[in-house]
């Protein structure tokens, strides 16, 4: 760990001012950032502790729900409205990390968590995300956890989280405050693909801080979060599917799907809902949905298995939601 | 006074079955348990000393080369930095178990990625860590590309076991199996990282360390530092898990010692989790070919087991994959052949039941395949192939509960008899199946000494440098002494883990309990003789119970017999011919039920039964816990544990507990353990064998067989992760 300055923000405006400084990072739960600082993967000059700001509230927001950026993952997953109206979110959160980590981890921090690529977390290895231009160790290396969708020649890392995958299926919005401004970004647009700038995980600009995530009015339906992993807890997803599905007269009326473990961001492909809505569920239809999802999928040897695994996991989720047997 | 016994013949007296206290074998709680669960047991890194400096090892991202220069000056400019130690005596790897001499020196000769080459010492840990990360080290990299892939180099052949003609037996067999399996590398993954705090007074060195085998470690450290053994004292009362990783002295203890000697101040070195993974010891990956030839009844006529493992050049240790294949099953035509590939990954050494932990499960999968071909119940096939005597050496088994473990385990588990056909049960998305495997582990005993003092107040003190690595040594040594001296466990104090005390066996190879237990037993025999002498009776007429001496109709308090004077004995146990004249080993059986997800290939163990026979049970609670631990490792071994090495530079990619997947609680279902008591007079004077590792020897094979029974996926690669299961699943 490198020596750093520690500042505690007392008010939001103060936090945004502080966070705009050079080499400055905001500290919330610290479950990811502090580990990375110990490894010198992150070496901020200044840490702005936003933990004392009043951003922990979970409250009704019109017909929807506003989840404060500092609400703990545990509090969000246990919140009665989340459990009754957005169960896919509760399930996704509870599928991630461990109870101890969820107690500390926050909504905003979770969205900003960094990849678990082995080459990113080892400062003696090349990584374009950590050190632009140094190369990508994973492409010809250990890539079992890595992305098959939306990769670039510079980076094949995945976004590791679960919560954001559910937020993507729910079409939630990220509320952001900067020094003197506020803006809203749909979760589906919050994370970026690696492209030529894999060092950028998301759209946050220096000095911007997430204040909350807002969920639209509840839509009902069947909520599923399916996470495939090697061990049954404390493991990142090989592949995950968040699904909000509704049917009428044996036809899809809603099919909001998002995928984790496959890309640099929670993956959402609007063509899948377009295909499913209005159609009768069947194994053949699910196969077509998987074809769309995986049309441009590319494996890197070790992670080739993710392509058939994603197909099978999507099929399993759609079968579970619709009662189709395949 | 001292009682020495070299065991050249079985000890059939079974003295411990004639004693009266009734404390031995009882499921007593560990006396130090409360200290451990309340965080008040002091582990190596927690010892403190005034003005203690902190050291952090400097590792280099190079596979092979020589350090040519180290920029000490710029490190010394950094805040708090006191010294950069790059002494030629620094070691770049750990000693192998029971080496008793310095491991490879100097550390400046780099042989694997992540090798420590220096130590930065600073006033605070954070300062030392930062400076260690920044220390500029120049390395003259070896021009030749270092071999990294065990399958791409020629291997050295070890001496094979050959009987008859296996190839011919295979051609003549009615049923045969010829299968090749792979197992990935493993890390010990002990919870407590390697740590040492060293103090030097100008003449003698005292090191608080986390080590398993102090008498060997003392010799290794002294040799590393060019000191006399008498100048070195090691203190290690509690060890937070070893699993083989702390058998030999390692880099942090040598580094802390050198720094303390150079600076004249106490120095503490604690490895980071990543350093523990990257530098200590790995279990080698293996490739194993198993050949079984059988007659029409499924009786083995040929047995072949060939394995390739790897290690660094110059390391003698080779994962002893074939150890139990020597004696577990019959077959007149035999070929057992081990070979070692020389590659530049970190040292391969003892990790949790070296050999059997990966060698039995592949044989057990092959046996399952044979049972299917022969149309036999897998349990029945195994029962048919238990040999009458050691199949290659013509000597009898000292004791063996294999058949009983298979039968009683099957009954407790609710095993359905008969030939098996996969994909018989489905619950929703999950295929359900069950599998069996035998367990086997070689027996070893090691020279050990212990001093037992009967104090004037009638309580006893047991002292040895033996360690407790979480296994229950404090409890079982106290129970042996209590049983022999007629005392409750509360009246026996056990002191461990200090080389100022008589040298025990150390903890390793499942031999600690039987070896040190025997030393305590012998010391107590001496004390009983002394008491009998004081009473003027024959020792054989003396009983001791609840603090009283009993003989004929007489009864006298031990305190009275002692009459204010302590008596002490040193028991000195030495292995002799008794373990050579017999095939001595521990045996058992595993039964596992798994669920395999049809869609994702995820496998979850639903329940598991293990039945084990390992001689006398010294404490039914700690023995059971050992078995539970072993069975938990079976789940990791079968499903998740794998060291991932980068193909380009050979570095270990998954070097923490988030990414190296040991089982989590949710992966470990209800585990049932059956202890089948027996007495093994050839194994040790206390008729005990080892249990520490037995629970890990074969159980992954039961899980693999259950996966096949469930979904029809015969997977030949461990661990059986979802991708591997899916690839083998029919119609997937």
């Amino acid at each position: 760990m490198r020596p750093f300055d520690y500042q505690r923000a007392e008010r939001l405006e103060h936090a945004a001012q502080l966070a705009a400084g050079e080499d400055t990072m905001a500290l919330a739960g610290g479950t990811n950032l502090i580990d990375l600082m110990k490894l010198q993967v992150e070496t901020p000059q200044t840490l702005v502790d936003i933990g004392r700001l009043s951003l922990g509230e979970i409250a009704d927001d019109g017909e929807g729900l506003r989840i404060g950026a500092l609400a703990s993952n545990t509090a969000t997953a246990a919140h009665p409205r989340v459990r009754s109206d957005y169960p896919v979110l509760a399930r996704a959160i509870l599928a991630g990390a461990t109870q101890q980590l969820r107690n500390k981890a926050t909504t905003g921090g979770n969205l900003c968590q960094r990849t678990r690529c082995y080459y990113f977390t080892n400062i003696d290895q090349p990584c374009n995300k950590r050190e632009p231009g140094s190369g990508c160790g994973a492409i010809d290396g250990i890539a079992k956890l890595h992305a098959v969708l939306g990769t670039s020649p510079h980076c094949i890392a995945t976004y590791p989280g679960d919560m954001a995958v559910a937020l993507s299926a729910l079409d939630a919005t990220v509320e952001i405050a900067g020094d003197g401004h506020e803006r809203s970004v749909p979760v589906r647009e919050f994370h970026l693909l690696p492209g030529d700038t894999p060092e950028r995980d998301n759209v946050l600009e220096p000095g911007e801080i997430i204040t909350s995530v807002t969920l639209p009015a509840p839509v009902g339906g069947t909520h599923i979060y399916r996470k495939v992993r090697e061990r049954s807890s404390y493991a990142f997803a090989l592949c995950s599917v968040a699904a909000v599905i509704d049917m009428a007269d044996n036809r899809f009326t809603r099919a909001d799907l998002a995928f984790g473990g496959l890309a640099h961001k929670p993956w959402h492909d609007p063509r899948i809902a377009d295909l499913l809505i209005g159609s009768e569920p069947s194994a053949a239809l699910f196969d077509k949905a998987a074809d769309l999802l995986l049309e441009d999928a590319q494996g890197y040897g070790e992670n080739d298995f993710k392509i058939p695994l994603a197909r099978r996991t999507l099929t399993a989720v759609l079968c579970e939601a619709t009662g189709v047997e395949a | 006074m001292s009682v020495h016994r070299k065991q050249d013949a079985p000890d059939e007296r079974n003295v411990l079955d004639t004693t009266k206290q009734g404390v031995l074998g009882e499921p007593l709680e560990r006396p130090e348990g409360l200290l451990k669960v309340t965080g008040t047991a002091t582990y190596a890194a927690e010892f403190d000393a005034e003005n203690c400096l902190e050291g952090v090892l400097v590792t280099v991202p190079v596979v092979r080369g020589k350090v040519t220069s180290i920029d000490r000056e710029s490190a010394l400019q950094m805040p708090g930095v006191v010294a950069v130690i790059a002494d030629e005596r620094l070691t770049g790897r750990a000693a192998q178990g029971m080496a008793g001499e310095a491991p490879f020196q100097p550390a400046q000769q780099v042989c694997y990625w992540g090798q420590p080459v220096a130590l930065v010492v600073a006033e605070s840990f954070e300062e030392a860590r930062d400076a260690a990360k920044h220390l500029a080290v120049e390395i003259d990299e070896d021009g030749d590309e270092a071999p990294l892939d065990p399958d791409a180099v020629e291997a050295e052949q070890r001496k094979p076991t050959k009987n008859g003609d296996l190839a011919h037996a295979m051609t003549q067999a009615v049923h045969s199996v010829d299968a090749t399996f792979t197992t990935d590398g493993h890390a010990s993954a002990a919870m407590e990282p390697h740590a040492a705090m060293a103090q030097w007074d100008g003449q003698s060195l005292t090191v608080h360390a986390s080590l398993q085998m102090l008498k060997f470690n003392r010799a290794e450290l002294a040799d590393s530092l060019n000191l006399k053994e008498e100048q070195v004292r090691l203190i290690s009362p509690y060890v937070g898990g070893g699993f083989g990783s702390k058998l030999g002295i390692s880099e942090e203890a040598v580094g802390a010692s050198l720094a303390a000697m150079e600076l004249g101040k106490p120095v503490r070195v604690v490895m980071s989790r990543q350093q523990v993974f990257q530098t200590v010891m790995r279990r080698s990956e293996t490739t194993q070919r198993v050949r079984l030839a059988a007659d029409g009844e499924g009786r083995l006529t040929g047995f072949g087991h060939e394995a390739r493992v790897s290690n660094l050049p110059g390391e003698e240790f080779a994962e002893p994959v074939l150890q139990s294949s020597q004696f577990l099953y019959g077959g007149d035509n035999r070929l057992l052949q081990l070979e070692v590939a020389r590659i530049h990954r970190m040292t391969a050494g003892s990790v949790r039941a070296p050999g059997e932990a990966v060698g039995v499960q592949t044989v057990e999968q092959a046996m399952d395949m044979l049972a299917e071909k022969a149309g036999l119940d897998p349990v029945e096939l195994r029962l048919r192939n238990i040999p009458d005597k050691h199949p290659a050496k013509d000597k009898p088994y000292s004791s063996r509960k294999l058949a009983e473990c298979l039968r009683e385990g099957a009954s407790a588990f609710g095993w359905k008899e008969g030939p098996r056909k996969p994909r018989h049960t489905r619950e929703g998305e999950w295929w359900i199946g069950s599998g069996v495997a035998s367990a086997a582990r070689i027996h070893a005993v090691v020279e050990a000494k212990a001093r037992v003092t009967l104090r004037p107040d009638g309580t006893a003190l047991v002292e040895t440098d033996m360690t407790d690595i979480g296994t229950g040594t404090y409890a079982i040594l106290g129970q042996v002494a209590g049983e022999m001296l007629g005392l409750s466990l509360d009246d026996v104090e056990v002191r461990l883990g200090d080389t100022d005390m008589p040298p025990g066996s150390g903890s390793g190879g499942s031999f600690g309990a039987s070896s040190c237990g025997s030393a305590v037993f012998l010391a107590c025999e001496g004390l009983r003789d002394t008491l009998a002498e004081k009473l003027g009776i024959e020792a054989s007429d003396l009983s001791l119970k609840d603090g009283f001496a009993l003989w004929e109709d007489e009864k006298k308090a031990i305190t009275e017999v002692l009459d204010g004077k302590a008596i002490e004995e040193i028991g000195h146990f030495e292995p002799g011919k008794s373990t050579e004249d017999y095939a001595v080993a521990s045996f058992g059986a595993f039964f596992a039920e798994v669920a395999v997800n049809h869609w994702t290939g995820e496998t979850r163990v639903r329940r598991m039964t293990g039945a084990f026979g390992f001689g006398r049970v010294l404490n039914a609670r700690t023995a059971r816990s050992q078995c539970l631990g072993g069975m938990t490792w079976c789940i990791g071994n079968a499903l998740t544990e794998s060291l991932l090495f980068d193909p380009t530079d050979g570095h270990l990619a998954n070097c923490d507990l988030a990414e190296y997947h040991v089982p989590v609680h949710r992966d470990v279902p209800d585990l049932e353990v059956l202890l089948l008591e027996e007495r093994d007079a050839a194994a040790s004077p206390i008729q005990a064998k080892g249990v520490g590792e037995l629970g890990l020897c074969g159980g992954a094979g039961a899980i693999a067989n259950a996966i096949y029974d469930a979904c029809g996926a015969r997977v030949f690669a461990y661990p059986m992760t979802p991708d591997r299961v899916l690839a083998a699943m029919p119609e997937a």
Side-chain angles (χ1 to χ4, degrees):
Chain A
M1 191 174 274
R2 272 202 209 149
F4 58 91
D5 289 331
Y6 173 87
Q7 308 260 11
R8 183 181 292 156
E10 304 296 344
R11 288 168 291 100
L12 183 59
E13 307 78 61
H14 184 211
Q17 273 165 15
L18 290 172
E22 208 173 320
D23 262 341
T24 299
M25 295 185 78
L27 172 71
T31 58
N32 189 203
L33 177 56
I34 289 175
D35 281 354
L36 293 175
M37 287 174 69
K38 289 178 183 172
L39 297 170
Q40 300 205 355
V41 171
E42 300 278 20
T43 52
Q45 287 284 334
T46 306
L47 269 194
V48 178
D49 185 348
I50 59 169
R52 306 287 173 99
L53 303 184
S54 309
L55 297 174
E57 199 183 28
I58 302 174
D60 290 349
D61 180 56
E63 292 179 333
L65 193 66
R66 176 183 296 270
I67 301 170
L70 292 176
S72 74
N73 282 180
T74 298
T76 305
H79 194 274
R81 272 210 67 195
V82 173
R83 288 166 59 93
S84 63
D85 294 344
Y86 310 96
V88 67
L89 178 58
R91 288 171 191 151
I93 289 171
L94 294 176
T98 64
Q99 184 68 57
Q100 293 91 330
L101 287 167
R102 292 192 297 266
N103 289 344
K104 288 298 289 178
T106 64
T107 312
N110 193 302
L111 285 171
C112 295
Q113 69 173 311
R114 311 220 60 190
T115 184
R116 262 55 176 197
C117 172
Y118 305 130
Y119 298 84
F120 174 71
T121 53
N122 185 334
I123 61 168
D124 291 319
Q125 291 294 324
C127 173
N128 289 322
K129 180 181 281 296
R130 190 187 65 246
E131 197 182 332
S134 63
C136 172
I139 285 180
D140 294 318
I142 304 294
K144 198 172 174 185
L145 287 173
H146 288 70
V148 294
L149 292 172
T151 57
S152 87
H154 307 290
C155 182
I156 60 170
T158 50
Y159 170 75
D162 294 295
M163 182 191 80
V165 182
L167 292 177
S168 174
L170 290 166
D171 198 14
T173 303
V174 185
E175 309 296 340
I176 296 167
D179 192 5
H181 73 273
E182 288 178 7
R183 62 177 178 136
S184 302
V185 178
V187 162
R188 292 172 184 172
E189 292 165 23
F190 179 76
H191 295 99
L192 300 169
L193 287 179
D196 295 335
T197 54
E199 69 274 16
R200 288 201 71 186
D201 288 351
N202 56 52
V203 300
L204 284 181
E205 298 290 341
E208 287 191 322
I209 287 172
I210 299 172
T211 55
S212 66
V213 168
T214 50
L215 298 172
V219 295
T222 301
H223 288 222
I224 295 171
Y225 188 72
R226 179 66 171 263
K227 179 176 181 181
V228 182
R229 46 187 156 171
E230 288 186 7
R231 60 181 176 188
S232 54
S233 177
Y234 196 39
F236 293 98
L238 297 173
C239 165
S240 71
V241 180
V244 179
I245 307 274
D246 216 353
M247 312 277 293
D249 301 328
N250 197 36
R251 287 176 190 277
F252 282 98
T253 55
R254 178 175 293 279
D256 295 327
L257 292 155
F259 303 83
L262 300 179
H264 198 258
K265 60 182 287 186
W267 194 259
H268 173 77
D269 187 335
R271 295 177 304 164
I272 296 176
D274 292 346
L275 171 76
L276 295 176
I277 288 170
S279 299
E280 286 189 14
S282 70
L285 180 69
F286 302 166
D287 231 23
K288 274 190 202 160
D291 288 343
L292 277 182
L293 171 69
L294 299 164
E295 187 173 67
D296 295 321
Q298 185 193 345
Y300 292 84
E302 288 214 329
N303 67 348
D304 289 350
F305 75 94
K306 281 193 173 184
I307 298 171
L309 180 65
R311 175 177 295 275
R312 294 177 71 86
T313 310
L314 172 59
T315 307
V317 166
L318 292 175
C319 286
E320 182 185 340
T322 61
V324 166
E325 288 191 18
Chain B
M1 296 276 284
S2 142
V3 181
H4 172 236
R5 186 170 311 153
K6 186 169 182 203
Q7 195 183 8
D8 283 326
D11 188 337
E12 306 278 5
R13 296 174 304 151
N14 287 351
V15 171
L16 290 163
D17 288 322
T18 65
T19 49
K20 298 284 189 280
Q21 185 64 27
V23 65
L24 194 62
E26 288 297 297
L28 301 179
E29 288 175 13
R30 295 189 257 177
E32 81 288 9
L34 192 66
L35 292 179
K36 287 180 173 171
V37 298
T38 53
T40 46
T42 314
Y43 288 84
E46 298 170 330
F47 283 95
D48 226 332
E50 218 174 315
N51 301 319
C52 187
L53 298 170
E54 306 288 342
V56 170
L57 290 165
V58 179
T59 62
V60 289
V62 166
V63 182
R64 188 165 66 171
K66 190 162 178 28
V67 175
T68 53
S69 76
I70 290 178
D71 182 9
R72 292 158 192 269
E73 288 314 309
S74 42
L76 289 167
Q77 309 282 312
M78 293 181 72
V81 176
V82 175
V84 177
I85 309 288
D87 194 290
E88 294 253 308
R89 291 171 290 179
L90 263 183
T91 52
R93 36 180 120 150
Q96 296 285 356
M98 303 169 79
E101 58 182 28
F104 183 84
Q105 293 166 305
Q108 290 74 26
Q109 191 72 46
V110 178
C111 299
Y112 62 92
W113 198 101
Q115 181 179 313
V117 298
L119 181 79
V120 171
V121 184
E123 280 162 15
S124 76
F125 168 71
E126 286 76 11
E127 288 164 332
R129 182 171 58 180
D130 189 31
K133 285 258 186 221
H134 284 85
L135 187 69
V137 179
E138 273 183 44
I139 294 171
D140 185 4
E141 286 193 55
D142 199 315
D144 297 333
E145 213 157 281
L148 299 169
D149 178 357
D151 296 322
V153 293
E154 224 167 280
E156 300 163 18
Q157 306 262 315
R158 292 287 166 95
K159 191 167 169 276
T161 301
K162 269 187 182 162
N163 301 80
D165 184 344
L166 176 63
H168 183 68
M170 289 294 287
T171 63
Q172 298 300 305
V174 179
H175 306 292
S176 66
V177 173
D178 183 349
T180 299
F181 303 87
T182 61
T183 67
D184 289 353
H186 294 156
S188 289
M191 201 150 58
E192 180 200 19
H194 290 55
M197 197 271 282
Q199 292 167 281
W200 171 251
D201 67 7
Q203 280 302 314
S204 61
L205 180 73
T206 302
V207 185
H208 289 86
S210 183
L211 293 162
Q212 293 179 230
M213 314 187 77
L214 296 194
K215 78 177 167 200
F216 298 100
N217 305 138
R218 181 192 203 187
E220 288 150 7
L221 184 56
D223 189 33
S224 301
L225 303 171
N226 300 330
L227 295 177
K228 296 195 187 91
E229 276 189 50
E230 299 73 48
Q231 290 176 277
V232 176
R233 180 183 178 194
L234 292 178
I235 300 173
S236 197
Y238 303 110
V239 178
F243 308 109
S245 72
K246 295 165 183 169
L247 290 179
I249 204 81
S250 43
E251 299 91 328
E252 81 294 347
V254 177
S257 301
L258 283 169
M261 289 165 70
E262 183 171 319
L263 302 171
K265 283 185 181 172
V267 177
R268 171 176 23 235
V269 179
V270 183
M271 281 197 195
S272 69
R273 181 64 66 189
Q274 289 77 12
Q275 288 177 337
V276 173
F277 269 89
Q278 286 170 344
T279 78
V280 177
M281 283 282 173
R282 65 183 169 96
R283 186 204 305 284
S284 171
E285 71 297 322
T286 74
T287 303
Q288 305 177 39
R289 182 185 187 192
V290 181
R291 281 182 285 175
L292 302 176
D295 65 16
E297 272 80 54
R299 291 193 169 78
L300 290 168
T301 55
F303 183 99
H305 195 176
E306 296 150 89
R308 169 179 283 226
V309 302
S310 70
N311 209 339
L312 276 169
E315 289 287 334
E316 180 60 23
F317 181 90
E319 181 75 18
V321 177
L322 315 177
Q323 221 155 231
S324 285
S325 290
Q326 300 283 0
F327 58 80
L328 177 57
Y329 295 125
D332 288 342
N333 299 285
R334 305 179 78 78
L335 173 63
L336 305 177
Q337 172 78 62
L338 185 67
E339 58 180 28
V340 193
R342 296 296 174 192
I343 57 166
H344 287 260
R345 292 177 180 170
M346 82 289 245
T347 326
S350 295
V351 174
R352 306 184 223 141
E356 283 92 329
V358 287
V360 179
Q361 68 211 39
T362 58
V363 171
E364 291 302 311
Q365 264 190 281
M367 288 294 276
D368 208 55
M369 295 162 75
L370 184 63
E372 189 180 31
K373 288 193 172 180
L376 286 172
D377 178 349
V379 172
E380 172 58 25
L381 177 81
R382 286 167 174 81
L383 291 170
R384 281 187 195 183
N385 283 294
I386 299 176
D388 297 332
K389 54 188 182 183
H390 190 295
K393 291 189 177 158
D394 195 31
K395 56 185 182 184
Y397 293 91
S398 55
S399 69
R400 182 178 45 172
K401 286 280 188 193
L402 177 54
E404 293 86 342
C405 287
L406 282 163
R407 290 199 182 98
E408 293 184 31
S411 161
F413 181 79
W415 180 259
K416 283 204 186 91
E417 282 178 31
R420 327 264 299 165
K421 199 163 182 282
R423 291 167 91 91
H424 48 76
T425 306
R426 189 161 164 178
E427 294 177 8
E429 296 183 358
W430 298 88
W431 295 104
I432 313 299
S434 55
V436 61
S438 297
R441 176 67 179 165
I442 54 154
H443 171 72
V445 271
V446 170
E447 183 176 12
K449 289 183 184 176
R451 177 168 49 228
V452 182
T453 306
L454 203 43
R455 298 187 279 212
D457 64 359
T459 64
L461 171 66
V462 176
E463 295 167 289
T464 161
D465 82 353
M466 176 63 182
T467 48
D468 185 312
I469 59 171
T471 44
T473 312
Y474 284 98
I476 58 118
L477 294 187
Q479 283 173 279
V480 171
E483 188 61 46
M484 288 295 286
L485 300 175
L487 300 172
S488 74
L489 190 55
D490 289 343
D491 287 328
V492 184
E493 181 188 350
V494 180
R495 291 186 194 154
L496 300 177
D498 184 338
T499 52
D500 275 358
M501 300 192 288
S505 60
S507 299
S510 300
F511 51 63
S514 48
S515 304
C516 288
S518 291
V520 170
F521 168 82
L522 292 174
C524 293
E525 274 203 308
L527 292 173
R528 291 173 64 101
D529 287 347
T530 306
L531 289 174
E533 202 176 305
K534 284 179 185 280
L535 292 165
I537 60 169
E538 292 293 318
S540 54
D541 294 332
L542 174 67
S543 291
L544 296 170
K545 189 171 188 328
D546 298 332
F548 287 90
L550 311 161
W551 71 101
E552 293 170 5
D553 293 334
E554 308 275 336
K555 180 175 181 180
K556 194 170 184 181
I558 293 175
T559 47
E560 248 182 276
V561 185
L562 292 170
D563 194 21
K565 288 188 211 80
I567 55 174
E568 69 166 55
E569 292 278 358
I570 290 179
H572 179 188
F573 166 72
E574 227 184 317
K577 278 176 53 187
S578 77
T579 47
E580 295 165 20
D581 294 343
Y582 294 85
V584 190
S586 298
F587 295 90
F590 299 97
F591 296 83
E593 180 181 294
V594 306
V596 183
N597 190 279
H598 169 76
W599 294 110
T600 64
E602 289 167 291
T603 300
R604 305 288 179 244
V605 178
R606 302 221 299 190
R607 62 195 181 94
M608 215 171 160
T609 297
F612 306 105
F614 45 90
R616 184 189 299 278
V617 175
L618 304 176
N619 177 321
R621 182 192 297 258
T622 59
R624 175 175 176 274
S625 292
Q626 294 275 284
C627 297
L628 292 176
M631 289 162 74
T632 302
W633 287 129
C634 287
I635 296 171
N637 179 340
L639 300 179
T640 56
E641 285 185 68
S642 167
L643 292 176
L644 303 173
F645 291 95
D646 179 85
T648 308
D649 65 10
H651 84 273
L652 177 65
N654 55 338
C655 47
D656 60 39
L657 291 168
E659 298 300 337
Y660 179 81
H661 288 169
V662 300
V664 296
H665 284 104
R666 207 173 162 200
D667 295 318
V668 185
D670 194 19
L671 303 176
E672 181 184 26
V673 173
L674 277 58
L675 304 178
L676 274 66
E677 281 256 4
E678 61 182 348
R679 300 287 179 261
D680 195 318
S684 63
I686 58 175
Q687 296 82 38
K689 296 187 278 194
V691 62
E693 295 161 307
L694 180 62
L696 168 52
C697 300
I703 294 168
N705 292 335
I707 290 174
Y708 176 74
D709 184 52
C711 69
R714 179 59 80 187
V715 187
F716 294 92
Y718 291 88
M720 298 181 181
T721 45
D723 52 317
R724 287 171 170 171
V725 173
L726 267 192
M729 188 135 38
E731 304 147 46

